[in-house]
Amino acid sequence: MAALNGAVENGQPDRKVPPLPRPLRSLEVKYTKIFINNEWHESTSGKKFPTYNPSTLEKICDIEEGDKPDVDNAVEAAKAAFQRGSPWRQMDAPSRGRLLHKLADLLERDRVILATLETMDTGKPFLQAYFIDLEGCIKTLRYYAGWADKIQGRTIPVDENFVCFTRHEPMGVCGAITPWNFPLLMLVWKMAPALCCGNTLVIKPAEQTPLTSLYIGSLIKEVGFPPGVVNIVPGYGPTAGAAISTHDNIDKIAFTGSTKVGKLIKEAASKSNLKRVTLELGGKNPCIVCADADLDLAVECAHQGVFFNQGQCCTAASRVFVEEQIYPEFVKRSVEFAKKRLVGDPFDARTEQGPQIDQKQFDKILELIESGKKEGAKLECGGLAIEDRGLYIKPTVFSEVTDNMRIAKEEIFGPVQPIMKFKSIEEVIRRANSTEYGLTAAVFTKNLDRALTLASALQSGTVWINCYNALYAQAPFGGFKMSGNGRELGEYALAEYTEVKTVTIKLSQKSP
Amino acid sequence: QIFINNEWHDSVSGKKFAVFNPANEEKICEVEEGDKADIDKAVKAARKAFELGSPWRTMDASERGRLLNKLADLVERDRLILATMEAIDGGKLFSTAYLMDLGGCVKTLRYCAGWADKIHGRTVPMDGNFFTFTRHEPIGVCGQIIPWNFPLVMFIWKIAPALCCGNTVVVKPAEQTPLTALYMGSLIKEAGFPPGVVNIVPGFGPTAGAAISHHMDIDKVSFTGSTEVGQLIKEAAGQSNLKRVTLELGGKSPNIIFADADLDAAVEFAHIGLFYHQGQCCIAGSRIFVEEPIYDEFVRRSIERAKKYTLGNPLLPGVQQGPQIDKEQFKKILELIESGKKEGAKLECGGGPWGDKGYFIQPTVFSNVTDDMRIAKEEIFGPVQQIMKFKTIDEVIKRANNTSYGLAAAVFTKDIDKALTFAAALQAGTVWVNCYSAVSPQCPFGGFKMSGNGREMGEYGLHEYTEVKTVTIKIPQKNS
């Protein structure tokens, strides 16, 4: 059973079932245009693109397709909204915070609509969209609302007769390119700290999943953000996305997506105007289970850790290292869990796993599954698609996986759990770190020394101990090595959205 | 020679390159020329020194601080040697090298030494039954590329915060000025830093420098130099392994003088702010905007000030201006001076080369400069001062900000409203009020826009040399 926020706290299924929210079965999609200056626009080219429901394979609707001229218009609006003397620049910091709180209020009001849209667009189970995605969005907005008037510079004791202080100014116009796996949540992770610090935004949501991002445009306007502060341009990566990463009037870009595209974005930022760059990229995250772990807890956490969101998480626990002594039992219990996992219509309240996002991902995952079989891993369950039509894949478990297999090295982004064996702590540290990725890691053990040794030794931006996917707005999140640059969430995200200015004033006489 | 693992090495290729004295164009000596193969060796050494369980990783943070303080002691002991070397290699006035450059080096080392055991993570009150904290870990192996205008100071600005946070480094000093960096190698060994913690590979940008920015096993690159090369470095970082990047690049910094300023102070600060070290400063105040009513008087006093110069051998007392660093810079500056004359600026004094040997240029002042002239737009990096006129506050804010640079700016006024308006309005990483060039290790320094990414010095500089790790531990019951 899917637990709150994907984090399993005690391994026990919740006995009490509260009244569950129900999705809106015939929801009309109201917002399909480009959002600039709090107004809805058609694309400059007149082109539109379709967005599909991956569980029915039917087209939901057509969306205005933004390209460079639309991005240019959005940037112009964002730049104007950022001018000295503008309503946004002159606004008191706590008022920015209040607007973010009000936006959270409206998300709560329209929670069922947004969760329904998100499910239609991504195929994720409705209850997960409602309880996890939307919960994360609301909490993150409220968290950053609280920071808005606490963006503090310093006064600095320099030598000689000077008064020196720093201002933490907003960077300016921030471009945000968001992915399709958690469309609204990833948008809020960028929007909240950016607006909290006083920036303006030009957002390009993933072409597979623009609906919730566009809906939030209507809420931005309703809440009362000044025109031009938030602009949303749906479109494709090589056109609208590239227009953002190469734009000379965008001061910063934040991107969540694949490592391959992240590199292109950093390159484009350098070639154009040295815009500041934050990247949240892929992972091949180790999940280390020691013999003294609480086995039930470890099995359930590892299971949810890899299968959550159809395996489409940058944090997916896609290399499970189990200490030799408990290996057979761990595999046996993991297979039981995988076989019980309910795959089906994401609008059905019992469903735990929906379809993959699109044909391209579906094909890639099946190809990697085949490579697992071919390269000699033992297929314990699953291993193929569910029916002839549709993008559903059976929860798949491989055991006897070795480090050189493709399923042990490449990010699968699908419901496939590779389980490998280890003997010693030194060995597993070395193997866990042998990857160019470094996003998250998890350790299951009751031993204090082991836990803290591994917490130090693992080259990952987040290390979970006796839990998985414990992600909240307060704690910074980001990658070591090629899993990213910079951190989102927590106080640390504020540094990614401010530009520091040092002011040094000469005095005729020193003051202590 | 090349410094790796606390030992001196010849270059893998066997090649050497010559280092010249810009005051007389004579060769000082030859230096081993490092290339990709040498960088690879250095990175291997730095990576090994960074391994878990190594002497450097298991050292107490306070001990790292002690080593930095010891290094400062050794720099003080050898201050005369280093200042002389810097003056000969860099064309820097000896008195300036001794007092300012070496003074800055010692202060910076001691400042960063103090931070070493104060690199704090946080405990974070996360939702749910968890105990969450952050570790501010060293990033790993840091590649650092140093410029030729303040060779030793820039070397220290890079290694001090990096070492303070526990990183290991591979440093490539500028090919024009490798001598003081290499001398520091001997002091680093003497101070007791473990082998492999600091490695120094002299060489050229397109070879050794590019090897660093493209290297798949370097975790971060830090560069001070031109904006043009800065862009190439960030690009290479993106193309290779997404290494973290800090850049300190060029500037065309505005210096704004109001009619209510203390005129003597403004003229002096504006003068030093441009002419310091032959104009070869990223923060050079190379666009001076003077409020109309005092414009003529300001120009008159600035010319007087510029004419008072003795040029010559930078080692000799009584000399106020040394040579430019090399022929390439020398030619570029003269070309920009010619453009000033051609585009209609009024040449008030100077305007050409000086002497028959060495790369000397006369202190030059242009008045009646307009914003569209090349001398008002391009970074000159030479002893050429541009003075322009303005009428209103809004006008000068717009003109001052009308550049892709954003490193520094200054305003001279006694009025509190003006001072604080400009402190907010100017798009620059540092804004000076009633002063210029006040730079100190406590203050963060860096560029808005295309003058750079990130900040050096101050507490902020530490952020550039740490990688944040969040650790979340499940607990049975949380209590606040």
Side-chain angles (χ1 to χ4, degrees):
Chain A
M1 148 154 178
L4 206 64
N5 281 14
V8 181
E9 293 184 19
N10 55 17
Q12 301 296 318
D14 202 342
R15 306 243 176 253
K16 264 193 315 207
V17 180
L20 292 173
R22 296 173 162 284
L24 300 168
R25 282 297 181 168
S26 36
L27 179 63
E28 187 207 329
V29 176
K30 290 212 300 218
Y31 305 105
T32 61
K33 293 195 190 171
I34 298 171
F35 184 72
I36 298 178
N37 266 331
N38 284 5
E39 289 163 355
W40 298 100
H41 298 259
E42 281 164 12
S43 66
T44 309
S45 64
K47 293 206 308 192
K48 296 193 217 284
F49 69 98
T51 183
Y52 295 94
N53 181 333
S55 60
T56 62
L57 296 178
E58 282 162 14
K59 178 169 91 169
I60 303 171
C61 63
D62 286 312
I63 306 282
E64 295 295 327
E65 184 182 333
D67 202 326
K68 189 172 182 327
D70 308 284
V71 170
D72 285 342
N73 289 341
V75 172
E76 212 181 302
K79 196 152 182 239
F82 190 73
Q83 283 308 299
R84 269 184 73 234
S86 71
W88 185 237
R89 289 304 290 281
Q90 299 227 286
M91 194 182 282
D92 286 336
S95 301
R96 292 203 303 264
R98 276 221 355 98
L99 288 175
L100 286 170
H101 266 299
K102 276 175 73 177
L103 187 59
D105 291 342
L106 293 185
L107 255 77
E108 274 182 330
R109 180 194 71 190
D110 293 352
R111 194 168 178 166
V112 172
I113 300 174
L114 283 161
T116 304
L117 282 173
E118 200 76 310
T119 295
M120 279 164 62
D121 220 358
T122 64
K124 71 172 73 206
F126 171 79
L127 289 179
Q128 288 176 18
Y130 187 92
F131 281 114
I132 297 172
D133 294 58
L134 265 297
E135 177 84 359
C137 289
I138 293 161
K139 286 217 158 131
T140 302
L141 281 167
R142 295 206 191 286
Y143 177 79
Y144 282 104
W147 265 121
D149 57 353
K150 303 171 188 70
I151 316 286
Q152 298 176 152
R154 312 259 192 286
T155 58
I156 297 178
V158 293
D159 294 352
E160 295 173 49
N161 291 344
F162 295 103
V163 163
C164 179
F165 62 90
T166 55
R167 281 169 51 88
H168 288 204
E169 304 192 346
M171 276 178 177
V173 177
C174 299
I177 300 180
T178 53
W180 47 259
N181 57 347
F182 295 88
L184 193 60
L185 184 60
M186 292 298 103
L187 174 54
V188 170
W189 275 26
K190 291 169 184 33
M191 189 190 273
L195 296 178
C196 161
C197 294
N199 298 279
T200 58
L201 284 161
V202 173
I203 298 160
K204 185 203 94 57
E207 59 272 22
Q208 297 92 332
T209 54
L211 300 182
T212 43
S213 303
L214 291 174
Y215 190 95
I216 218 180
S218 71
L219 300 182
I220 297 263
K221 176 174 179 170
E222 190 182 336
V223 159
F225 282 91
V229 170
V230 178
N231 307 278
I232 309 167
V233 183
Y236 290 85
T239 48
I244 289 178
S245 60
T246 55
H247 209 287
D248 281 333
N249 278 328
I250 287 180
D251 303 295
K252 181 226 166 65
I253 185 168
F255 169 78
T256 298
S258 69
T259 292
K260 179 162 155 238
V261 176
K263 290 172 78 172
L264 295 175
I265 293 201
K266 186 162 170 164
E267 236 186 281
S270 325
K271 283 202 177 102
S272 53
N273 68 340
L274 286 172
K275 56 177 65 64
R276 291 87 177 103
V277 176
T278 309
L279 304 170
E280 297 279 354
L281 308 176
K284 191 67 183 171
N285 310 296
C287 179
I288 299 169
V289 183
C290 300
D292 72 335
D294 173 338
L295 196 55
D296 279 326
L297 176 69
V299 168
E300 176 156 12
C301 284
H303 174 82
Q304 293 297 352
V306 79
F307 289 104
F308 180 59
N309 207 43
Q310 292 72 257
Q312 297 165 150
C313 296
C314 47
T315 62
S318 50
R319 287 185 295 154
V320 185
F321 292 94
V322 182
E323 203 169 0
E324 227 178 16
Q325 299 92 298
I326 53 162
Y327 187 79
E329 185 60 23
F330 185 95
V331 172
K332 179 162 100 58
R333 296 193 202 190
S334 298
V335 171
E336 261 165 47
F337 256 88
K339 284 181 165 163
K340 277 194 318 205
R341 195 170 180 81
L342 284 167
V343 185
D345 173 10
F347 281 116
D348 185 328
R350 296 160 300 170
T351 298
E352 292 173 270
Q353 181 178 316
Q356 308 309 123
I357 186 70
D358 60 21
Q359 189 71 40
K360 185 164 159 221
Q361 287 293 318
F362 178 82
D363 290 341
K364 173 179 156 206
I365 297 160
L366 288 177
E367 197 233 326
L368 277 156
I369 290 177
E370 286 311 304
S371 81
K373 298 174 186 168
K374 217 172 291 176
E375 290 180 333
K378 180 168 178 221
L379 180 67
E380 298 277 354
C381 68
L384 30 85
I386 285 192
E387 29 178 39
D388 292 326
R389 80 164 233 132
L391 302 169
Y392 294 83
I393 297 181
K394 284 198 163 134
T396 300
V397 179
F398 280 107
S399 65
E400 309 300 331
V401 178
T402 54
D403 294 359
N404 56 332
M405 295 178 184
R406 284 184 65 200
I407 53 173
K409 294 197 293 196
E410 296 174 38
E411 192 178 33
I412 303 175
F413 236 61
V416 182
Q417 184 182 44
I419 311 182
M420 28 264 261
K421 203 180 294 189
F422 77 91
K423 281 197 170 75
S424 77
I425 291 295
E426 283 315 306
E427 168 211 339
V428 80
I429 288 174
R430 202 182 20 88
R431 290 168 65 192
N433 285 339
S434 295
T435 163
E436 61 192 16
Y437 289 117
L439 191 57
T440 63
V443 177
F444 290 86
T445 177
K446 291 209 184 80
N447 179 286
L448 178 71
D449 280 345
R450 204 174 285 161
L452 295 174
T453 297
L454 285 163
S456 267
L458 290 165
Q459 290 163 357
S460 306
T462 298
V463 178
W464 287 304
I465 303 194
N466 295 332
C467 55
Y468 209 92
N469 275 342
L471 270 172
Y472 295 92
Q474 302 87 2
F477 179 84
F480 272 44
K481 303 194 276 189
M482 292 181 78
S483 283
N485 286 171
R487 293 292 175 270
E488 291 191 304
L489 303 183
E491 184 183 1
Y492 297 78
L494 303 176
E496 310 284 353
Y497 285 100
T498 46
E499 188 79 36
V500 175
K501 176 188 285 177
T502 304
V503 181
T504 303
I505 306 179
K506 184 161 150 24
L507 299 174
S508 30
Q509 228 186 350
K510 192 185 182 77
S511 49
Chain B
Q1 282 176 294
I2 296 171
F3 183 74
I4 295 177
N5 267 331
N6 284 4
E7 291 162 351
W8 299 100
H9 298 256
D10 288 338
S11 66
V12 166
S13 65
K15 292 202 326 199
K16 297 191 218 283
F17 67 99
V19 182
F20 296 93
N21 179 341
N24 56 23
E25 297 175 52
E26 282 165 17
K27 181 166 90 171
I28 303 170
C29 66
E30 283 187 336
V31 171
E32 295 295 324
E33 183 182 332
D35 201 325
K36 185 173 185 316
D38 308 279
I39 295 288
D40 285 341
K41 274 169 69 177
V43 171
K44 264 210 188 66
R47 178 59 64 197
K48 190 146 203 318
F50 190 73
E51 263 170 14
L52 284 175
S54 71
W56 186 238
R57 289 305 289 280
T58 51
M59 192 183 282
D60 286 337
S62 56
E63 183 64 18
R64 292 201 306 264
R66 254 190 33 75
L67 288 175
L68 286 168
N69 264 314
K70 267 184 82 180
L71 190 59
D73 292 341
L74 295 177
V75 170
E76 274 182 327
R77 180 195 71 190
D78 293 352
R79 191 168 181 163
L80 207 53
I81 300 174
L82 284 161
T84 307
M85 208 179 263
E86 196 81 315
I88 296 176
D89 203 3
K92 208 180 264 286
L93 296 182
F94 172 78
S95 52
T96 304
Y98 188 89
L99 292 170
M100 306 298 290
D101 293 59
L102 267 297
C105 289
V106 171
K107 282 192 166 156
T108 301
L109 280 166
R110 296 207 191 285
Y111 176 78
C112 292
W115 267 121
D117 58 353
K118 303 170 189 70
I119 315 286
H120 298 139
R122 312 262 191 288
T123 58
V124 176
M126 205 164 82
D127 291 353
N129 285 334
F130 299 103
F131 170 55
T132 297
F133 62 93
T134 57
R135 280 171 51 88
H136 287 207
E137 304 192 345
I139 300 182
V141 176
C142 302
Q144 307 186 310
I145 302 176
I146 317 288
W148 49 257
N149 57 347
F150 293 88
L152 193 58
V153 176
M154 291 294 103
F155 177 89
I156 301 292
W157 271 35
K158 300 257 177 298
I159 70 165
L163 298 178
C164 157
C165 294
N167 298 280
T168 58
V169 302
V170 173
V171 183
K172 185 202 96 54
E175 58 273 22
Q176 297 92 332
T177 53
L179 302 182
T180 43
L182 291 172
Y183 190 93
M184 288 302 298
S186 71
L187 298 184
I188 281 163
K189 176 174 179 167
E190 191 182 339
F193 285 88
V197 171
V198 178
N199 307 277
I200 308 168
V201 183
F204 291 84
T207 48
I212 287 178
S213 60
H214 281 98
H215 210 284
M216 294 302 285
D217 203 21
I218 285 180
D219 304 299
K220 177 209 172 73
V221 63
S222 181
F223 169 79
T224 297
S226 71
T227 291
E228 192 194 328
V229 176
Q231 288 183 276
L232 294 175
I233 292 199
K234 185 164 169 166
E235 220 188 297
Q239 276 167 356
S240 54
N241 69 340
L242 287 170
K243 55 176 66 63
R244 290 86 178 102
V245 176
T246 307
L247 303 170
E248 297 279 356
L249 309 175
K252 192 67 183 175
S253 303
N255 190 350
I256 300 163
I257 323 278
F258 278 94
D260 72 339
D262 172 339
L263 194 56
D264 279 325
V267 167
E268 183 64 20
F269 274 112
H271 175 85
I272 304 282
L274 188 289
F275 287 99
Y276 187 68
H277 192 37
Q278 290 83 263
Q280 298 166 140
C281 299
C282 48
I283 52 172
S286 50
R287 289 184 294 151
I288 302 173
F289 293 94
V290 183
E291 202 178 4
E292 223 178 7
I294 52 159
Y295 182 78
D296 293 329
E297 183 60 18
F298 185 94
V299 171
R300 194 182 68 72
R301 295 194 201 191
S302 299
I303 299 167
E304 228 178 273
R305 183 65 180 83
K307 282 186 164 157
K308 288 205 205 117
Y309 269 55
T310 311
L311 281 72
N313 179 347
L315 288 178
L316 299 177
V319 169
Q320 280 116 4
Q321 182 177 317
Q324 309 308 124
I325 186 67
D326 60 20
K327 179 175 274 169
E328 197 189 319
Q329 287 293 317
F330 178 77
K331 279 166 56 180
K332 173 180 153 201
I333 298 160
L334 289 177
E335 195 236 327
L336 277 156
I337 291 177
E338 286 310 306
S339 81
K341 297 175 187 168
K342 215 170 293 168
E343 290 181 333
K346 181 168 180 222
L347 181 67
E348 298 280 0
C349 67
W354 176 91
D356 49 5
K357 223 170 20 140
Y359 308 112
F360 293 86
I361 296 182
Q362 299 167 45
T364 300
V365 179
F366 279 108
S367 65
N368 290 349
V369 178
T370 54
D371 294 359
D372 54 312
M373 295 177 184
R374 284 184 65 199
I375 53 173
K377 294 196 292 195
E378 297 174 37
E379 191 179 33
I380 303 176
F381 234 61
V384 186
Q385 186 182 50
Q386 283 67 241
I387 313 182
M388 27 265 260
K389 202 179 296 190
F390 78 90
K391 283 196 168 81
T392 71
I393 290 180
D394 282 328
E395 169 210 341
V396 79
I397 288 174
K398 213 179 305 197
R399 288 169 66 191
N401 285 338
N402 188 21
T403 164
S404 61
Y405 290 117
L407 191 57
V411 66
F412 286 82
T413 175
K414 292 210 184 80
D415 179 72
I416 187 173
D417 284 344
K418 278 205 198 85
L420 295 174
T421 296
F422 278 84
L426 290 166
Q427 290 164 357
T430 297
V431 176
W432 290 299
V433 178
N434 293 331
C435 56
Y436 207 91
S437 296
V439 168
S440 192
Q442 300 87 359
C443 310
F445 178 86
F448 273 44
K449 304 195 278 189
M450 292 182 79
S451 282
N453 285 171
R455 293 293 175 271
E456 291 189 308
M457 297 295 102
E459 184 181 1
Y460 299 79
L462 303 177
H463 178 74
E464 310 285 349
Y465 283 100
T466 47
E467 187 80 37
V468 175
K469 176 187 284 178
T470 303
V471 182
T472 299
I473 307 179
K474 184 176 116 49
I475 51 176
Q477 187 194 70
K478 165 195 69 217
N479 284 274
S480 59

